Amino acid sequence: DFVNLWALRLGDLLQINSAAMGTATGSYRIWLTKQLQLDKSGKSTSYDEMVKSLLLAKGSLKGGRPVAPATYYAFPQEVGEIAEQAARRFLGVRIRCARCHDHPLDVWTQDDYYGFASFFGGVRVEAGSEPLAQEVKIVPENIVKHLRTGETPPPKYLGGETAEVGDREDVRELLVEWMFDANNPRFSRMAANWIWAHLMGRGLIEPIDDLRETNPATDPALLDELARHFRDGGYDLRSL
């Protein structure tokens, strides 16, 4: 049925891996499944709320369902890889090449890479209070170091400005706000293309997580309409 199928699809997108995630894997899958189930009012958790729960997660990786989203940070744990996966899974942007040099096929520079990575610079996955347990914590110190300059850059939106952090304790909140902003089409376009690929056997853009200007959709108007419908409909997976 819908719930079990798309729980598996989301598991693939998130690369759920029991070898890396250990005993937390089960509660993680159960949590994903519950997000897709209809409540008494006939509604399920919207896709943006699911992603928000994952990106802002913290707490024990061995604490059961209430903190199951924290398992998102069990693998990978290196800050650069966390940023790469978030950009690729949820925005359709491949920034990995910009880690060592400006991207040869896209607009992204090393400054873009390390600025985006800085949104996750305070994430720490540390040993927990129980044997074999780990805990996701947020600390003030940003551990990101620019490969070329050796400096710690402030958080910077992809293709945008430097974030105004102020006294925010968790700068990931700023990233989430930007991702779901109505003026930022990347999140809804990536999701629409991903869902279309699973339903039709091929994305409107291939590879499905490579949404760059030099890799246009086979039907740009259709992808724009699907993304608009998804966004305006409250990021409802069933509706799309």
Side-chain angles (χ1 to χ4, degrees):
D1 62 3
F2 177 90
V3 171
N4 291 326
L5 173 62
W6 287 98
L8 287 173
R9 299 298 194 202
L10 285 167
D12 291 341
L13 178 69
L14 299 171
Q15 297 177 321
I16 295 179
N17 183 338
S18 59
M21 298 175 178
T23 56
T25 307
S27 60
Y28 193 14
R29 289 193 179 278
I30 291 171
W31 178 84
L32 277 176
T33 300
K34 287 180 70 66
Q35 306 314 296
L36 296 166
Q37 292 173 343
L38 297 175
D39 60 20
K40 293 181 179 179
S41 66
K43 296 182 179 180
S44 60
T45 304
S46 61
Y47 184 59
D48 61 324
E49 285 297 322
M50 276 189 259
V51 173
K52 179 180 179 179
S53 294
L54 294 172
L55 292 180
L56 298 184
K58 57 185 176 181
S60 172
L61 273 62
K62 198 180 180 182
R65 297 178 200 176
V67 291
T71 312
Y72 178 82
Y73 288 100
F75 178 80
Q77 296 181 7
E78 194 273 324
V79 171
E81 293 184 359
I82 291 173
E84 291 168 18
Q85 293 284 25
R88 189 167 178 172
R89 289 167 176 164
F90 305 128
L91 301 174
V93 176
R94 297 184 174 191
I95 61 172
R96 185 176 182 84
C97 279
R99 183 173 191 144
C100 301
H101 48 75
D102 292 350
H103 202 301
L105 301 176
D106 210 338
V107 298
W108 311 117
T109 66
Q110 279 187 293
D111 292 346
D112 292 321
Y113 180 96
Y114 290 99
F116 187 73
S118 284
F119 282 109
F120 301 97
V123 176
R124 303 288 188 277
V125 183
E126 302 177 353
S129 58
E130 302 176 50
L132 303 179
Q134 291 177 312
E135 187 170 359
V136 179
K137 298 180 179 180
I138 302 300
V139 301
E141 180 189 4
N142 179 359
I143 62 171
V144 173
K145 298 293 182 183
H146 195 298
L147 182 64
R148 187 181 69 253
T149 67
E151 297 178 353
T152 297
K156 180 178 180 293
Y157 305 114
L158 285 175
E161 303 296 325
T162 298
E164 296 183 7
V165 175
D167 58 356
R168 292 261 187 166
E169 295 183 0
D170 189 349
V171 297
R172 298 178 303 172
E173 295 173 354
L174 294 171
L175 174 62
V176 167
E177 291 171 9
W178 169 79
M179 284 177 61
F180 304 147
D181 188 284
N183 293 319
N184 181 7
R186 295 186 186 279
F187 179 75
S188 56
R189 282 171 60 84
M190 169 58 197
N193 192 53
W194 171 66
I195 293 170
W196 180 274
H198 282 300
L199 293 175
M200 302 298 179
R202 181 176 178 82
L204 292 165
I205 295 176
E206 286 286 343
I208 60 172
D209 55 5
D210 191 12
L211 278 60
R212 50 188 161 85
E213 290 187 8
T214 54
N215 185 31
T218 54
D219 190 333
L222 175 57
L223 181 57
D224 288 345
E225 176 59 22
L226 290 171
R228 184 203 61 76
H229 174 84
F230 190 46
R231 183 187 66 248
D232 294 350
Y235 302 103
D236 185 344
L237 289 173
R238 279 182 174 79
S239 175
L240 187 60

